[in-house]
Amino acid sequence: QQAGPRAPAVAEVQREVLTARVSFPAQPPEPLEDRAARRLEQLKREHAAVLEELGEEKLFAQLVEQERRQWLSISPHGQERYIFEGIRKSELTAEHLQLRLRLLSGTPASEEHVVLTLALNGRKFPCTLQIGPYQMLRIPAEAVGADGKLEVTVIHEDPRNPARAYPKDLVLSGEGGMELLYEAGGFGANLARGLFMQWLRLGFLAMLGLACATFLSFPVAALLSLTVLSVALSSGFVVE
């Protein structure tokens, strides 16, 4: 009697938690740089003084950022498209993919729910999301086109009552607003890859210590090896 209820729970943990996934960030339907370039050309013709004051390079960077914010912001009854390309349908072993996103509004600590319409390559689905936390949406793998492309259109209106919509602009958080995740391996293979990478690091550290010990004293060789290890582990933080 105890094994029955636990079996689905264990399978759910293995499928949702102990699984390696490939991530695809969303891309705009048109490069943001192209949009910004058109606006820059218009400013050159109409407001040359602004261009001379700020400088073309700085102004172009500001225009790209404005276009990115506009792309991630959806006004009531408005819509925006988010493109995922390069998906290999032959590698999709699960029936569902995961769409990770976070909605924000003008209220910082809001816990409201909003009803939207998601169109996956033209197929519309109603969707209820909470404003504030990150959320994972399960979408059918069959929604991906034969060319490995998935177009997600977020429509800011209630599909049950199109005349009604959440009264505030919704903003998708993050660089690309959302990301698509699909399974790329189980827990065993992922654990083996992780252990192998740790073994490579330890092997390199051992070789470095032995090499240093050939011409340095033991304390100096140990200190040098630990210094190299510390720099390597903190390299990601230093780059950021």
Side-chain angles (χ1 to χ4, degrees), residues 31-91:
L32 301 179
E33 290 77 7
D34 293 349
R35 298 183 186 181
R38 288 198 299 270
R39 291 182 58 188
L40 182 63
E41 291 299 324
Q42 183 178 0
L43 287 174
K44 287 181 179 180
R45 295 191 300 268
E46 301 176 359
H47 304 282
V50 176
L51 184 62
E52 294 179 359
E53 180 181 352
L54 295 179
E56 183 172 340
E57 184 176 349
K58 183 178 180 179
L59 182 59
F60 180 74
Q62 292 180 358
L63 292 175
V64 171
E65 181 61 21
Q66 290 178 8
E67 291 294 336
R68 189 186 72 84
R69 293 180 179 178
Q70 182 178 353
W71 173 55
L72 297 178
S73 177
I74 310 170
S75 59
H77 303 291
Q79 64 181 35
E80 285 291 345
R81 294 186 296 155
Y82 304 89
I83 310 297
F84 300 93
E85 295 182 310
I87 305 172
R88 299 180 181 178
K89 294 202 67 174
S90 59
E91 297 180 357

Side-chain angles (χ1 to χ4, degrees), residues 30-189:
E30 180 184 9
L32 301 179
E33 290 77 7
D34 293 349
R35 298 183 186 181
R38 288 198 299 270
R39 291 182 58 188
L40 182 63
E41 291 299 324
Q42 183 178 0
L43 287 174
K44 287 181 179 180
R45 295 191 300 268
E46 301 176 359
H47 304 282
V50 176
L51 184 62
E52 294 179 359
E53 180 181 352
L54 295 179
E56 183 172 340
E57 184 176 349
K58 183 178 180 179
L59 182 59
F60 180 74
Q62 292 180 358
L63 292 175
V64 171
E65 181 61 21
Q66 290 178 8
E67 291 294 336
R68 189 186 72 84
R69 293 180 179 178
Q70 182 178 353
W71 173 55
L72 297 178
S73 177
I74 310 170
S75 59
H77 303 291
Q79 64 181 35
E80 285 291 345
R81 294 186 296 155
Y82 304 89
I83 310 297
F84 300 93
E85 295 182 310
I87 305 172
R88 299 180 181 178
K89 294 202 67 174
S90 59
E91 297 180 357
L92 301 181
T93 57
E95 297 181 358
H96 293 85
L97 310 177
Q98 291 185 330
L99 193 64
R100 183 175 184 266
L101 54 85
R102 182 190 184 195
L103 282 179
L104 300 176
S105 69
T107 307
S110 175
E111 294 184 357
E112 299 177 272
H113 289 77
V114 58
V115 181
L116 303 174
T117 301
L118 289 184
L120 308 177
N121 279 347
R123 297 174 55 188
K124 294 184 178 180
F125 300 89
C127 180
T128 301
L129 297 173
Q130 182 178 355
I131 296 176
Y134 281 97
Q135 296 161 90
M136 304 289 286
L137 302 180
R138 298 180 67 184
I139 62 176
E142 61 184 16
V144 180
D147 57 352
K149 180 180 178 180
L150 176 64
E151 179 178 311
V152 179
T153 304
V154 181
I155 306 173
H156 188 350
E157 65 181 22
D158 189 337
R160 298 166 297 186
N161 185 4
R164 175 187 174 190
Y166 186 74
K168 302 176 182 178
D169 289 357
L170 295 176
V171 179
L172 289 169
S173 175
E175 186 67 26
M178 61 178 70
E179 60 179 346
L180 186 69
L181 307 171
Y182 71 83
E183 295 183 13
F187 173 72

Side-chain angles (χ1 to χ4, degrees), residues 191-207:
L191 177 63
R193 286 193 293 268
L195 292 176
F196 178 71
M197 292 303 299
Q198 295 298 327
W199 179 84
L200 285 180
R201 291 180 179 179
L202 292 175
F204 172 77
L205 188 62
M207 289 187 293

